[in-house]
Amino acid sequence: MSQSQLSRHLTLLQATAINMTDMVGIGPFVVLSVVAEIMHGPWFLYAWIAGALLSFIDAMVWSELGTTFPEAGGSYNFLKESFGPRTGKLMSFLFVWQTMIQAPLVIASAAIGFAQYTMYLYPLGFWETKAVSGAVIILIVFLLYRNIETIGKISVTLWIGVLVTMIWIICGGIAQGHFLEPIKHINDGLELNMAFAAALGAASVKSVYSYLGYYNVCHLGGEIIAPQKNIPRSMLISIAGIAVLYLCMNISVASVLPLSQIEQSKFVISEFIQQLAGPTAAMIATVLILWIAFASVFSATLGYSRIPYAAAKDGAFFKIFARLHPTKNFPYISLLFLGGVAFVFSMFFKLKEVITAILAMRIMVQFIGQAIGLLVLNKRKGRSFVKWRMPFYPIPVILAILIWIAIFCSTGYMMLAGMAVTALGILIYFVKNKISAGH
């Protein structure tokens, strides 16, 4: 079977909906307080602006690669093709290797966040919280166990819920009449020194997590209609839309709640709505946030399930992952495996640990590796080879590499975990090749 057996049915609207639902998730609602606490001042908005700028710059790298290699698996193909036959095999193997660990972490993070936010509605004990996060993952796998046309329609429905919730939060702050106050005071007491730079770096680790997912469409490259046009458009529209929504949401909350309350709150949006419209409205807002968290797990799991499939089709990963469902035409073994590992992770980890671990594991191979790969590809094949060309090349690529290095360093001790996972992957790759050569 070839990748052409995945059918191209996802439209620009559906691709954008999948990206945006993946990006929003539980992230901004949980991370809003964490960013405010790290920055500890009205300038916490800069961390959200930094996240948007990095996403825009990095999306240019993804756009060049995504339009040139529009197939299932995204980064797997990009790394394999960019670095050439020999190094490409190692880099693409490392990507699949770390995906088998970090993709379930991403899915688990949204499920853990879902369970945490449920506690605003109903107090849960430790094991009850774990039961909720596990049940979310099981339900997601059940919903994704169908063809891509149906999934595209489900994605748009979930996306509408995301937009309605964000707009309600923003309009609530505007109606209060002090919406512009946080912007007027954004620089109050700000000192541009090393302490600010360190805080911005640490806060950006969290804010960038809330933007991740703008490239989800690249993992579904084999199922997008007119990929040369729709892959860059869906990414850039998603980032622009989400950046505006995140900034307006943060400004809205900061215009109503005092900064000290924002920094300490576990349910900041629910408390914000309660102050504006009372406890019943806060309950409704909490249910909508849970809707968004659920939508995010749905979208992320969909995209990740295509990566082991693409590698297995290529003969670079275990053959069992290449199986498509006999009637519904989707990689069901890959979906079931990632869902199973995510279920286990959701039982053992805490949200803050998971967020930092996700970034530390991804940055080296996927983000930095991919950007370097694009430079190598352009040198090997020439600029005319890529199907979409970024403005001011190679400046955005070099900027992306430098910013990702800075964020990688800001992940602290998790940086060592990321390096250890990569080193172990390299060892396994060479052992696997030696065993294969022996046969």
Side-chain angles (χ1 to χ4, degrees):
M1 292 184 189
S2 70
Q3 285 204 0
S4 60
Q5 285 179 291
L6 287 171
S7 40
R8 293 193 182 276
H9 284 291
L10 291 177
T11 63
L12 175 61
L13 174 67
Q14 291 171 342
T16 306
I18 288 167
N19 275 353
M20 288 179 83
T21 49
D22 188 4
M23 288 169 78
V24 177
I26 198 72
F29 307 107
V30 176
V31 166
L32 195 154
S33 293
V34 179
V35 169
E37 188 182 4
I38 293 168
M39 297 297 283
H40 197 55
W43 48 84
F44 75 95
L45 291 171
Y46 284 123
W48 294 96
I49 295 166
L53 286 173
L54 173 58
S55 303
F56 265 120
I57 292 165
D58 197 51
M60 292 187 193
V61 174
W62 284 88
S63 293
E64 290 211 359
L65 292 166
T67 53
T68 308
F69 309 108
E71 298 163 12
S75 295
Y76 168 78
N77 297 304
F78 305 163
L79 291 163
K80 184 186 75 171
E81 300 292 345
S82 298
F83 282 97
R86 193 164 180 168
T87 312
K89 278 185 182 175
L90 169 62
M91 291 301 290
S92 56
F93 175 85
L94 286 177
F95 171 68
V96 181
W97 162 252
Q98 56 106 25
T99 295
M100 302 306 277
I101 301 166
Q102 66 90 13
L105 278 173
V106 172
I107 299 162
S109 75
I112 295 166
F114 183 100
Q116 269 188 23
Y117 234 89
T118 305
M119 290 169 76
Y120 184 83
L121 299 174
Y122 187 82
L124 300 172
F126 176 80
W127 289 112
E128 291 166 313
T129 310
K130 294 300 178 189
V132 170
S133 60
V136 167
I137 292 167
I138 292 166
L139 181 55
I140 288 293
V141 172
F142 169 74
L143 280 177
L144 284 171
Y145 210 83
R146 59 202 71 236
N147 63 35
I148 196 71
E149 294 99 312
T150 312
I151 287 169
K153 289 168 190 169
I154 293 172
S155 295
V156 174
T157 307
L158 293 172
W159 178 53
I160 290 165
V162 172
L163 293 180
V164 167
T165 310
M166 301 287 273
I167 290 164
W168 180 21
I169 294 163
I170 293 160
C171 290
I174 292 169
Q176 191 72 358
H178 304 291
F179 186 75
L180 295 177
E181 286 303 304
I183 301 170
K184 287 177 188 172
H185 298 286
I186 190 170
N187 293 322
D188 285 7
L190 174 62
E191 288 182 32
L192 295 175
N193 52 26
M194 286 306 292
F196 173 77
L200 184 62
S204 294
V205 168
K206 309 302 182 189
S207 66
V208 164
Y209 165 79
S210 300
Y211 283 100
L212 293 181
Y214 51 85
Y215 42 75
N216 200 353
V217 66
C218 292
H219 300 320
L220 303 164
E223 294 157 277
I224 304 285
I225 296 166
Q228 270 78 24
K229 285 192 298 184
N230 289 337
I231 285 177
R233 283 179 186 175
S234 67
M235 279 195 280
L236 297 172
I237 292 167
S238 301
I239 296 165
I242 292 295
V244 169
L245 288 172
Y246 281 177
L247 281 167
C248 289
M249 183 178 80
N250 274 271
I251 292 163
S252 189
V253 171
S255 72
V256 172
L257 298 180
L259 201 56
S260 57
Q261 186 179 344
I262 293 170
E263 288 177 16
Q264 299 307 314
S265 175
K266 286 186 178 176
F267 313 102
V268 67
I269 301 299
S270 303
E271 290 174 12
F272 164 78
I273 294 291
Q274 182 168 343
Q275 185 148 329
L276 288 181
T280 306
M283 292 282 194
I284 295 166
T286 306
V287 169
L288 284 170
I289 288 166
L290 294 176
W291 171 290
I292 291 172
F294 187 85
S296 169
V297 195
F298 179 89
S299 183
T301 310
L302 168 65
Y304 282 122
S305 66
R306 270 51 178 178
I307 294 167
Y309 161 76
K313 293 297 288 180
D314 218 19
F317 207 60
F318 302 105
K319 280 183 185 174
I320 193 167
F321 288 98
R323 290 186 189 172
L324 286 175
H325 192 279
T327 57
K328 301 186 195 318
N329 207 43
F330 71 95
Y332 70 108
I333 299 289
S334 184
L335 172 66
L336 292 172
F337 178 86
L338 292 180
V341 177
F343 179 85
V344 173
F345 282 172
S346 74
M347 296 293 119
F348 289 101
F349 292 115
K350 292 179 182 173
L351 189 63
K352 277 188 185 179
E353 296 167 353
V354 170
I355 289 173
T356 310
I358 287 164
L359 266 174
M361 285 189 191
R362 276 179 168 180
I363 287 173
M364 280 181 74
V365 176
Q366 189 174 21
F367 295 119
I368 296 173
Q370 210 165 261
I372 293 169
L374 181 59
L375 295 173
V376 173
L377 179 72
N378 276 285
K379 194 166 185 183
R380 283 175 53 237
K381 303 275 191 178
R383 285 298 283 155
S384 58
F385 181 76
V386 294
K387 301 289 186 281
W388 182 92
R389 289 186 277 282
M390 69 179 73
F392 310 114
Y393 176 87
I395 294 168
V397 189
I398 294 161
L399 271 176
I401 293 167
L402 293 174
I403 299 168
W404 280 123
I405 290 169
I407 288 180
F408 184 60
C409 295
S410 297
T411 61
Y413 70 93
M414 282 295 181
M415 178 170 65
L416 299 174
M419 292 163 80
V421 167
T422 306
L424 185 58
I426 292 168
L427 181 67
I428 290 169
Y429 174 79
F430 284 112
V431 168
K432 180 177 86 70
N433 279 6
K434 201 163 188 182
I435 292 168
S436 301
H439 291 293

